[in-house]
């Protein structure tokens, strides 16, 4: 957790609650709670909910046996532990009732409660029966736009995570991770080990797609043996907490580099130059005040013009922070304007089914001057690695 950030975030969240007309925010599983408080609920069946009213004291309802894990930042919330045999839904419902204006106060308009997008359905269904007359919203309607604008501490954490991922990419591109003759899953394991060695506390994914598998963007690395004269897409990332505290909330890295096991033939080398130009066009387009979808259009235009349009069939990128995928999404139809403090991937790909694939991904932040800055600096070329 970034020092002293919590109180500021609660303030920003409450401003957004007012804009959205949300009376109470109920944060359970998912990233909103650790982002706001530094506490991550265990993803088990027992109920944890932070009840944050628009005004008044926030209360964290937590199972008694997990309460010792809670070390709240001073003054952020009080802890209310429940015992096995208690009904925690009752507890949360009474806190919500206590926090909202009387439904009769405004004719017909019941209270609005926002619940974590990733809360268990079972918890939400129980809360819904306990609190009739409430209008329910996803917590992301409040938190996503706030989380999308990173503070200084968050940018520093993203920068450190990207630098660590870059160091792994440099090892890969130097040919120090053996590829040819090994299973994709073994190469993936090596990349994960390197992420940990470079300071990540957690590996989120290490996609290794070789040969025809490189044309599957979210390929699950498996038993296929990497061969000579193939593209190998390596897309890896994890979470890194500044200070290296395993219990702290980490920020994510996410980088893709494509390497070639041999000397690439002209067709693949030319295709890669298209991809590289597309990625560059996307990064350059990503300025404050520009619509998120304009970045997607910028990468796609380069790939379309080169005749590969039908082979690029995913969005250009996603926001990144405490979660590996969050707002803003760089996708056609997303007209939200980019702003200072946004952090996201720019990751076009070209996938020729059954033959080869390639992707190039950096994390980009929009700096104080409104200009894009790449956090990943590892060689953007498709490095040729001899077998
Ligand atoms: Zn992905
Ligand atoms: Zn990625
Ligand atoms: Zn990504």
């Amino acid at each position: 957790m970034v020092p002293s950030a919590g109180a500021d975030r609660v303030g920003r969240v409450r401003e957004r609650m007012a804009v959205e007309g949300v009376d109470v925010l109920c944060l359970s599983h998912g990233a909103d709670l650790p982002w706001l408080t530094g506490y991550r609920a265990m993803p088990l069946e027992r109920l944890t909910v932070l009840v944050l009213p628009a005004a008044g004291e926030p209360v964290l309802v937590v199972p008694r046996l997990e309460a010792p894990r809670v070390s709240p930042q001073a003054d952020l919330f009080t802890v209310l532990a429940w015992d096995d045999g208690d009904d925690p839904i009752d507890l949360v419902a009474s806190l919500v009732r206590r926090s909202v204006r009387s439904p009769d106060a405004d004719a017909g308009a019941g209270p609005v409660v926002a619940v974590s997008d990733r809360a268990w359905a079972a918890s939400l269904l129980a809360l819904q029966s306990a609190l009739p007359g409430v209008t329910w919203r996803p917590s992301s309607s409040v938190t996503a736009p706030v989380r999308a604008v990173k503070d200084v501490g968050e940018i520093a954490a993203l920068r450190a995570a990207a630098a660590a991922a870059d160091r792994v990419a440099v090892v890969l591109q130097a040919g120090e991770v053996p590829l040819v003759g090994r299973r994709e899953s073994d190469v993936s394991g090596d990349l994960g080990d390197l992420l940990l060695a470079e300071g990540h506390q957690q590996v989120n994914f290490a996609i290794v797609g070789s040969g025809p598998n490189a044309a599957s963007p979210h390929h699950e690395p498996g038993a296929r043996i990497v061969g000579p004269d193939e593209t190998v897409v390596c897309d890896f990332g994890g979470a890194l907490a500044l200070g290296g505290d395993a219990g702290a909330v980490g920020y994510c890295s996410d980088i893709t580099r494509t390497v070639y096991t041999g000397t690439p033939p002209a067709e693949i080398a030319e295709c890669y130059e298209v991809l590289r130009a597309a990625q560059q066009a996307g990064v350059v387009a990503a300025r404050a005040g520009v619509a998120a979808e304009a970045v997607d259009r910028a990468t796609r235009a380069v790939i379309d013009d080169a005749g590969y349009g039908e082979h690029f069939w995913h969005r250009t990128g996603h926001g990144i922070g405490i979660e590996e995928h969050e707002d803003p999404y760089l996708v056609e139809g997303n007209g939200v304007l980019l702003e200072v403090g946004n952090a996201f991937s720019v990751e076009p790909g070209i996938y020729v089914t059954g033959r080869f694939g390639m992707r190039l991904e950096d994390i980009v932040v929009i700096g104080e001057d409104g200009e894009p800055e790449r956090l990943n600096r590892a060689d953007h070329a498709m490095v040729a690695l001899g077998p």
Side-chain angles (χ1 to χ4, degrees), residues 277-345:
Q279 203 257 3
Q280 171 70 12
V283 172
V284 168
R287 292 161 192 278
V290 165
E293 65 185 358
V295 179
D296 185 75
R297 288 178 190 162
T299 60
R300 210 164 293 282
V302 173
I303 292 173
D304 279 348
D305 288 351
Y308 288 102
E310 65 175 304
H311 301 293
F312 174 27
W313 28 262
H314 58 67
R315 66 190 177 208
T316 288
H318 52 82
I320 189 165
I322 183 175
E323 278 188 293
E324 62 223 47
H325 289 179
E326 57 182 51
D327 278 27
Y329 292 97
L330 307 180
V331 63
E332 183 64 39
N334 185 4
V336 70
L337 300 184
L338 298 178
E339 50 186 315
V340 171
N342 284 164
F344 44 81
S345 69

Side-chain angles (χ1 to χ4, degrees), residues 165-179 191 194 232 234 236 255-260 272 276 359-362 376-386:
D166 269 355
R167 293 193 293 273
V168 177
V170 166
V171 171
L172 170 72
Q173 293 176 319
E176 289 166 21
V177 178
L179 297 173
L191 293 173
L194 286 165
V232 183
C234 298
F236 46 92
I255 184 173
T256 308
R257 291 296 183 265
T258 300
V259 296
Y260 197 84
Y272 191 82
R276 188 171 171 171
R359 181 163 65 257
L360 178 60
E361 174 178 26
D362 292 319
N376 295 106
R377 311 257 165 89
D379 195 344
H380 291 86
M382 182 174 62
V383 173
L385 299 172

Side-chain angles (χ1 to χ4, degrees), residues 26-30 32-33 114-120 137-140:
C26 287
L27 298 183
S28 186
H29 299 297
D32 286 336
L33 180 58
V115 179
S116 288
D117 292 36
R118 292 179 181 36
W120 298 132
R137 300 240 190 284
S139 66
S140 57

Side-chain angles (χ1 to χ4, degrees), residues 205 235 254 256 347 361:
F205 52 86
D235 181 349
D254 185 3
T256 308
E347 52 174 311
E361 174 178 26

